[in-house]
Amino acid sequence: MGILYIVPTPVGNMEDMTFRAVRILKEVDLILAEDTRTSGILLKHYEIKNSLLSHHKFNEHGTSASVVSRLLAGENVALISDAGTPGISDPGFFLVREAVRAGVEVQCLPGATAFVPALVSSGLPCDRFAFEGFLPQKKGRQTKLESLKGEERTMIFYESPYRLLKTLQQFAEVYGPDRQVSVCREISKIHEESVRGSLEEVIAHFKEKEPKGEIVIILAGLDKNAKSEN
């Protein structure tokens, strides 16, 4: 029986690839990639020439059964996403679940994921946190925001630069303009930046400076000792 490897890839800087990740990708029989064009750049950089198959959220339900069959037949398979760790706001969970159900060994390599450096560098408590990923764009969005009013742990959100201001403004309406936040963008890239302060201050910053790149929002949890917030 083969092994399913979940292999993190850099969120920005190519040097964040681990030695083990490169070795595994060179040794497996098949690499599953969210976007073969994007992953092709990374694989070419590290001279990895193994078979590549498209595996993303639109086809994972259809391709997972055949992948599990190959694993059961003794092939080793690696799953990568465009950036970061598969399964974290990226395809991965469904295939892992099906592999586990079939009795296949699953190994997830330690490695890059965007929210960890954003959280640790935010200056907000990182001993306990709630990862929320992407908020619903329309249906259920307000309900979700309201449900987090009593959350005392630091909260983590992923967001598009095109919706960042709207999201921060909604946070200010629901949690109050004084709630502390850190907006980290372009993690590990040349223009990496963290903008920290109250929601009101960070909103003002991005009204003057258009946000660009991949974004992680780190939002402080409710402080029970502080004055009640909106």
Side-chain angles (χ1 to χ4, degrees), residues 30-219:
L30 175 67
I31 299 171
L32 303 175
E34 185 178 2
D35 186 325
T36 55
R37 294 166 298 179
T38 301
S39 296
I41 297 170
L42 175 72
L43 300 181
K44 183 178 179 181
H45 180 80
Y46 285 103
E47 300 180 345
I48 299 166
K49 302 175 182 178
N50 283 357
S51 298
L52 195 61
L53 181 68
S54 178
H55 183 87
H56 47 73
K57 65 180 180 180
F58 300 109
N59 74 356
E60 62 181 344
H61 287 73
T63 59
S64 292
S66 63
V67 172
V68 171
S69 294
R70 295 177 70 161
L71 287 160
L72 291 171
E75 293 188 36
N76 292 320
V77 178
L79 173 65
I80 60 177
S81 61
D82 289 348
T85 301
I88 305 297
S89 291
D90 274 326
F93 160 71
F94 185 78
L95 175 60
V96 169
R97 186 186 70 182
E98 295 305 296
V100 169
R101 284 178 174 177
V104 173
E105 181 180 353
V106 178
Q107 292 186 17
C108 182
L109 278 63
T113 189
F115 78 81
V116 173
L119 172 65
V120 174
S121 66
S122 69
L124 296 171
C126 54
D127 55 332
R128 297 171 64 246
F129 56 88
F131 177 76
E132 294 296 333
F134 287 99
L135 286 165
Q137 289 188 31
K138 294 180 181 178
K139 186 178 179 181
R141 186 180 180 91
Q142 192 62 34
T143 301
K144 183 63 177 177
L145 292 173
E146 292 288 340
S147 74
L148 295 171
K149 269 190 169 182
E151 179 58 72
E152 296 179 33
R153 295 170 295 179
T154 300
M155 292 170 277
I156 303 167
F157 302 89
Y158 285 166
E159 192 51 279
S160 155
Y162 311 108
R163 292 191 298 268
L164 176 63
L165 260 177
K166 173 187 173 183
T167 297
L168 293 175
Q169 289 167 339
Q170 288 178 323
F171 284 171
E173 291 170 6
V174 176
Y175 310 122
D178 295 329
R179 182 74 70 94
Q180 293 295 298
V181 68
S182 174
V183 174
C184 191
R185 65 180 195 87
E186 295 291 82
I187 293 169
S188 81
K189 298 179 183 177
I190 295 173
H191 300 293
E192 179 175 347
E193 175 187 41
S194 288
V195 180
R196 307 174 181 89
S198 67
L199 281 166
E200 185 175 39
E201 292 167 338
V202 174
I203 287 168
H205 172 86
F206 285 112
K207 279 184 176 179
E208 292 184 6
K209 185 176 180 181
E210 181 183 1
K212 296 180 181 179
E214 300 296 322
I215 288 171
V216 183
I217 303 172
I218 309 296
L219 182 68

Side-chain angles (χ1 to χ4, degrees), residues 5-10 16-22 24 84-86 107-113:
Y5 294 98
I6 309 303
V7 181
T9 54
D16 290 337
M17 196 72 170
T18 68
F19 291 118
R20 184 182 174 205
V22 173
I24 292 294
T85 301
Q107 292 186 17
C108 182
L109 278 63
T113 189

